């Protein structure tokens, strides 16, 4: 069994697909995880950072949960963000569960400008011919290089806002534009909440699926959750240092950052390993060997799982050492086993299931049908974007999302569902392996000749 396991490992390591999988893991980790570690460690004095320790022991109060306050905060916050996105022409959205940026066309930018005019009351102010200090603060950009001068522009007989070339001021220094975007603009949104939702829905349609302005994302950021970049509360501070012991929070974030990679790519490793026998006309030789079907299937399954998990366990070591050193410098105890524990609990069952499905289908059909099935699993098995904040688990979720360093309490509140989910995934994977052994043994004895 040991020699068979080693032989299968060598086959996988020599495969181009394996190194493609490793590269994908490294890329996902660097892009989605390492930047967060560096960012948090660079702003330990920021009250919004999870590392922040208040000298006087006083932290931010729990957010007011009244509906009217939440609606006002949401409208002002989203409008300010839309102003900044319009100025830079960079809009965030989540097409595949991870944040991407999109640049809009000139026509789409014009539509965004119309919505901004309605949200800020700019049309009304200009129509009355008033020069308002609020309007001076807004200074909406016309494309990154030109800024509309306060009080300029007019409305035609149809109520459409129009400007002349002389109404715009050219900004030579890029830092001036940056200063404009960073201004703290105190203003009221001049539409009802229902109209605000309609505008956000239209903006979301322009940007793409699950943009920042979708109702799902707005409620996630402004509802009761831990996705907002706001000063941490005393509860969040205590959870981070006393419950997560620092590394636990980053371990969850690491698992989240690679979750979409392990949802698909490990399947290709076992598919390639099995199809290679048929491609090299080795099937008859393997069928005639004395090794039992249990040993052959288990050796291949175990080799694929081990080589799949190995780089996942290695990747966070650098950040683990960095976090341990930092915690030691401030006299805080760090959990050195947090990354291993979360990887084995959150990632390992998913890898087992994905590989088991590919193993079962490939042994049954002896063709590449499992590639299509793996693609469909990746496409439809991803949790909805409202679960990226963590704590919102489903019994049949294939992967666990937790795209925030906060949220330990919400995870604990739903820990029972999470445990049952992982146990179910693990059990289904083992059942599929057992069925695969039975099918493989039957084929070796000539009792089944199905090939898709």
């Amino acid at each position: 069994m040991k020699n068979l396991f080693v032989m299968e490992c060598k086959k996988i390591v020599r495969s181009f697909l394996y190194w493609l999988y490793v590269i994908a893991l490294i890329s996902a980790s660097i892009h989605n995880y390492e930047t967060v570690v560096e960012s948090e460690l660079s702003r330990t004095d920021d009250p919004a950072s999870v590392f922040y320790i208040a000298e006087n022991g006083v932290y931010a109060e729990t957010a007011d949960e009244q509906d009217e306050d939440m609606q006002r905060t949401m409208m002002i916050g989203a409008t300010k963000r839309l102003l900044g996105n319009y100025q830079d022409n960079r809009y965030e959205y989540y097409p595949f569960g991870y944040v991407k940026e999109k640049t809009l066309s000139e026509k789409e930018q014009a539509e965004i400008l119309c919505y901004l005019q309605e949200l800020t009351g700019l049309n009304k102010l200009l129509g009355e011919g008033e020069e308002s200090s609020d309007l001076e603060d807004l200074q909406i950009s016309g494309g990154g290089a030109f800024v509309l001068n306060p009080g300029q522009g007019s409305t035609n007989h149809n109520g459409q806002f129009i400007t002349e070339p002389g109404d715009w001021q050219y900004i030579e220094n890029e830092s001036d534009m940056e200063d404009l975007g960073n201004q703290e603009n105190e203003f009221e949104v001049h539409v009802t909440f229902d109209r605000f939702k309609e505008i956000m829905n239209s903006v979301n349609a322009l940007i793409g699926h699950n943009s920042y302005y979708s109702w799902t994302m707005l409620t996630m950021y402004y509802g009761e959750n831990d996705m907002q970049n706001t000063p941490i509360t005393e509860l969040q501070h205590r959870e981070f240092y006393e419950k997560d012991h620092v590394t636990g929070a980053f371990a969850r974030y690491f698992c989240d950052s690679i979750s979409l990679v392990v949802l698909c790519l490990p399947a290709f490793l076992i598919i390639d390993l099995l199809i290679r026998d048929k491609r090299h006309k080795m099937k008859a030789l393997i069928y005639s060997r004395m090794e039992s079907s249990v040993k052959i299937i288990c050796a291949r399954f175990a080799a694929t799982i081990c080589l799949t998990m190995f780089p996942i366990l290695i990747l966070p070591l650098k950040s683990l050492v960095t976090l341990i050193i930092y915690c030691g410098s401030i006299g805080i105890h760090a959990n050195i086993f947090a990354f291993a524990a979360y990887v084995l609990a959150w990632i390992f069952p998913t890898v087992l299931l994905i590989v088991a499905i590919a193993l079962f289908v490939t042994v049954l059909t002896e063709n590449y049908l499992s590639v299509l099935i793996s693609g469909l699993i990746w496409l439809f098995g991803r949790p909805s974007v409202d679960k990226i904040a963590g704590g919102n688990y489903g019994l049949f979720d294939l992967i666990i999302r937790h795209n925030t360093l906060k949220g330990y309490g919400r995870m604990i509140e739903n820990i029972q569902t999470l445990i049952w989910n992982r146990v179910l995934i693990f059990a289904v994977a083992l059942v599929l392996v057992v069925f695969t052994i039975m099918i493989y043994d039957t084929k070796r004895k000539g009792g089944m000749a199905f090939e898709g």
Side-chain angles (χ1 to χ4, degrees):
M1 177 69 176
K2 179 180 178 181
N3 292 336
L4 192 58
F5 171 79
V6 173
M7 182 178 66
E8 300 299 341
C9 286
K10 290 180 179 179
K11 289 181 182 178
I12 296 173
V13 170
R14 288 195 294 263
S15 170
F16 167 76
L17 290 177
Y18 178 70
W19 296 106
L20 185 64
Y21 160 74
V22 172
I23 292 172
L25 274 179
I26 295 174
S27 176
S29 177
I30 293 175
H31 183 266
N32 300 318
Y33 170 70
E34 294 293 345
T35 55
V36 174
V37 178
E38 296 172 0
S39 173
E40 289 297 321
L41 286 175
S42 67
R43 59 189 192 100
T44 54
D45 295 331
D46 184 353
S49 171
V50 289
F51 283 110
Y52 178 71
I53 300 178
E55 294 182 0
N56 55 4
V58 178
Y59 294 89
E61 297 180 357
T62 303
D64 192 349
E65 299 175 6
Q66 294 184 0
D67 289 342
E68 291 185 4
D69 290 341
M70 184 274 291
Q71 292 177 6
R72 181 177 180 275
T73 300
M74 179 187 293
M75 289 194 293
I76 293 177
T79 302
K80 285 184 177 181
R81 188 171 185 128
L82 187 59
L83 279 165
N85 288 158
Y86 173 79
Q87 183 182 57
D88 300 331
N89 196 8
R90 288 203 304 251
Y91 300 84
E92 305 93 339
Y93 71 122
Y94 290 78
F96 301 110
Y98 288 136
V99 65
K100 302 292 182 183
E101 286 188 347
K102 183 176 184 179
T103 300
L104 300 184
S105 66
E106 184 177 345
K107 180 180 179 182
E108 291 170 330
Q109 278 283 80
E111 291 187 55
I112 296 293
L113 178 58
C114 290
Y115 291 131
L116 284 170
Q117 292 165 1
E118 183 177 355
L119 288 166
T120 60
L122 186 59
N123 272 339
K124 179 180 178 182
L125 290 170
L126 291 175
E128 295 175 353
E130 300 178 2
E131 293 193 8
S132 166
S133 59
D134 290 339
L135 182 58
E136 292 176 2
D137 289 339
L138 292 178
Q139 299 189 67
I140 300 175
S141 166
F146 290 88
V147 175
L148 182 64
N149 289 319
Q152 300 300 316
S154 61
T155 55
N156 60 19
H157 62 281
N158 293 323
Q160 182 182 9
F161 178 67
I162 58 175
T163 62
E164 299 295 334
D167 297 336
W168 299 88
Q169 176 187 358
Y170 180 69
I171 302 297
E172 184 70 31
N173 192 336
E174 291 184 1
S175 63
D176 294 339
M177 289 293 297
E178 192 173 315
D179 292 339
L180 288 175
N182 292 332
Q183 289 182 22
E184 291 294 332
N185 305 316
E186 296 298 332
F187 62 92
E188 292 293 333
V189 176
H190 291 253
V191 296
T192 64
F193 188 64
D194 288 338
R195 176 55 184 159
F196 166 79
K197 290 195 292 185
E198 292 176 358
I199 292 175
M200 292 298 105
N201 185 57
S202 300
V203 170
N204 178 61
L206 286 173
I207 299 171
H209 180 63
N210 283 327
S211 74
Y212 174 87
Y213 305 99
S214 66
W215 182 243
T216 298
M217 296 299 291
L218 287 174
T219 53
M220 182 184 302
Y221 275 92
Y222 295 98
E224 188 180 358
N225 61 73
D226 301 307
M227 290 293 289
Q228 302 178 58
N229 187 30
T230 54
I232 61 170
T233 64
E234 182 178 358
L235 176 61
Q236 292 170 337
H237 167 78
R238 294 175 65 88
E239 287 179 347
F240 180 71
Y241 281 106
E242 299 176 13
K243 304 296 184 181
D244 272 326
H245 298 289
V246 177
T247 52
F250 285 93
R252 284 194 301 273
Y253 204 99
F254 171 74
C255 291
D256 177 87
S257 69
I258 64 169
S259 59
L260 293 185
V261 175
V262 301
L263 187 59
C264 179
L265 292 188
F268 296 132
L269 305 182
I270 191 70
I271 295 170
D272 179 65
L273 186 62
L274 295 171
I275 293 297
R276 196 182 306 173
D277 291 338
K278 182 177 181 179
R279 190 167 61 242
H280 294 164
K281 304 184 186 303
M282 297 290 292
K283 186 173 69 172
L285 178 61
I286 295 175
Y287 278 7
S288 64
R289 285 185 174 180
M290 295 300 295
E291 284 87 352
S292 67
S293 298
V294 174
K295 287 185 177 180
I296 294 175
I297 294 300
C298 287
R300 292 185 163 183
F301 184 71
T304 305
I305 296 298
C306 289
L307 289 178
T308 298
M309 295 299 300
F310 180 72
I312 297 176
L313 291 168
I314 294 297
L315 276 176
L317 286 182
K318 176 179 175 290
S319 62
L320 174 61
V321 172
T322 302
L323 293 171
I324 291 175
I325 293 174
Y326 175 79
C327 289
S329 68
I330 61 174
I332 297 294
H333 170 68
N335 181 5
I336 62 176
F337 301 107
F339 282 92
Y342 274 99
V343 166
L344 292 177
W346 286 24
I347 301 297
F348 183 61
T350 298
V351 170
L352 281 179
L353 180 62
I354 297 304
V355 174
I357 292 174
L359 175 69
F360 174 78
V361 176
T362 306
V363 168
L364 178 65
T365 63
E366 298 185 30
N367 60 24
Y368 289 101
L369 177 62
S370 50
V371 173
L372 174 61
I373 293 176
S374 299
L376 293 175
I377 290 174
W378 184 87
L379 188 63
F380 296 105
R382 295 172 292 115
S384 56
V385 72
D386 61 322
K387 295 186 177 183
I388 66 174
N392 184 14
Y393 311 122
L395 186 60
F396 302 105
D397 288 344
L398 296 183
I399 57 176
I400 306 300
R401 297 301 310 267
H402 200 104
N403 190 29
T404 173
L405 295 172
K406 307 169 187 176
Y408 175 88
R410 286 184 293 104
M411 180 191 69
I412 296 301
E413 289 175 3
N414 299 278
I415 193 66
Q416 186 173 0
T417 301
L418 178 58
I419 292 174
W420 277 112
N421 167 269
R422 297 292 88 186
V423 170
L424 177 62
I425 295 294
F426 188 88
V428 171
L430 294 185
V431 169
L432 286 174
V433 172
V434 172
F435 283 157
T436 302
I437 293 172
M438 295 170 60
I439 293 172
Y440 189 75
D441 190 60
T442 303
K443 283 194 170 189
R444 291 182 73 186
K445 295 176 182 179
M448 181 181 293
F450 171 76
E451 292 189 19

